[in-house]
Amino acid sequence: MTQTATVTSDLAAFGDEVDRMVADLAPTGWTTPTPAPGWTVAHQIAHLAATFRMAGLAAADPDAFTALAGTLSPDFDANVARALGQFVNDPPEVLLARWRAERDTAGKALGALPPDQLVPWLVRPIPAAVLAAAGMMELFGHGQDIADALGIRRTHTDRLRHLVTFAVRTWDFGYLARGLTPPAEPFRFEITAPSGALWEFGPADAAARITGSAEDFCLLVTRRRHHTDLGVRAEGAPAEQWRELAQAYRGPAGPGREPGQFA
């Protein structure tokens, strides 16, 4: 299987997992509050639908995406609310169908591109494979909110490597979101996959070191669990600070989750 096909199929698998959580929900289930304040299950799926609409447009029609990006407000929260408004008021069956259509369109558009081909995105152009990984990050984080709301225990596979690699690539986002200067020295990341394999990033002799399981690492960088509730260990003061700030997405960090919230 080619790299493009692997990334595309893994993106689809992430989407299928989230889809299974909501496919048979009764209408009242869509109004279930999630851990994100003010967001129901419907809000989570609407956000994912809007995100995948933008990703599909970026991959299939870069000029149209650039024109759309030019209409966005400097206010991040206003942009999120505007995107949600295109989907969240749909009846559940309509929202479900639209979410499926948007992720199918985005998957096909990304899969048609070489993995290293640059496509426009919100801050700067990024490779198609990296945009697909960003989509997996969205599915992991918002999927966790849905799982928590509905009492679902997720089972993860080594597909998490895409998200782990993306989070290492974007390791400085937590600093940038808070107007802080990232440390100059590189970090060492040693992340244990669901299969037990060890994924290593950064120089082996780095003074700042992050270690832990892939699932806990992904919960950390999507801010779906407080760092004190996770088995992600930090060695060195810069790593300890990073663990408190970690996020794999641009924009405001948000309040995250409280210690012990999901004990």
Side-chain angles (χ1 to χ4, degrees):
M1 182 177 288
T2 66
Q3 183 183 355
T4 300
T6 299
V7 171
T8 303
S9 65
D10 286 350
L11 177 63
F14 268 90
D16 288 343
E17 187 236 358
V18 173
D19 193 278
R20 286 191 293 271
M21 297 184 198
V22 299
D24 297 320
L25 270 185
T28 54
W30 289 80
T31 64
T32 304
T34 69
W39 280 34
T40 64
V41 170
H43 284 86
Q44 300 288 349
I45 294 297
H47 176 78
L48 289 171
T51 300
F52 275 77
R53 168 180 280 185
M54 291 174 55
L57 191 63
D61 192 342
D63 290 340
F65 174 85
T66 300
L68 172 64
T71 69
L72 297 179
S73 164
D75 185 331
F76 180 86
D77 292 333
N79 291 329
V80 171
R82 175 184 173 187
L84 276 175
Q86 301 175 61
F87 295 92
V88 73
N89 295 317
D90 287 340
E93 67 276 9
V94 176
L95 176 56
L96 180 62
R98 294 182 71 194
W99 136 251
R100 288 171 171 171
E102 296 296 352
R103 71 183 184 90
D104 182 63
T105 297
K108 289 178 179 176
L110 287 167
L113 301 176
D116 59 351
Q117 180 167 325
L118 292 178
V119 296
W121 198 234
L122 298 173
V123 177
R124 60 180 178 268
I126 58 176
V130 175
L131 181 53
M136 295 181 211
M137 182 269 295
E138 294 282 343
L139 289 163
F140 181 94
H142 293 283
Q144 189 62 48
D145 290 335
I146 295 170
D148 289 333
L150 301 178
I152 296 171
R153 172 61 182 165
R154 306 171 85 182
T155 300
H156 294 291
T157 72
D158 281 12
R159 282 190 293 268
L160 287 182
R161 182 171 185 124
H162 298 292
L163 177 48
V164 170
T165 302
F166 180 78
V168 170
R169 180 188 182 105
T170 60
W171 72 278
D172 58 345
F173 278 9
Y175 300 95
L176 300 177
R178 296 165 176 82
L180 301 174
T181 301
E185 297 300 319
F187 284 27
R188 172 73 169 182
F189 295 89
E190 297 178 353
I191 308 301
T192 303
S195 67
L198 183 63
W199 298 332
E200 300 172 276
F201 309 86
D205 61 350
R209 186 176 302 263
I210 298 290
T211 60
S213 74
E215 180 176 358
D216 278 10
F217 183 78
C218 292
L219 288 167
L220 175 71
V221 299
T222 56
R223 297 180 62 79
R224 263 49 187 192
R225 293 291 186 272
H226 193 271
H227 70 88
T228 58
D229 294 331
L230 297 171
V232 178
R233 295 168 295 282
E235 298 178 25
E240 291 175 1
Q241 182 193 38
W242 179 87
R243 186 176 57 171
E244 296 178 4
L245 305 178
Q247 66 181 73
Y249 53 90
R250 296 300 292 260
R257 303 293 177 260
E258 296 295 325
Q261 183 174 350
F262 300 96

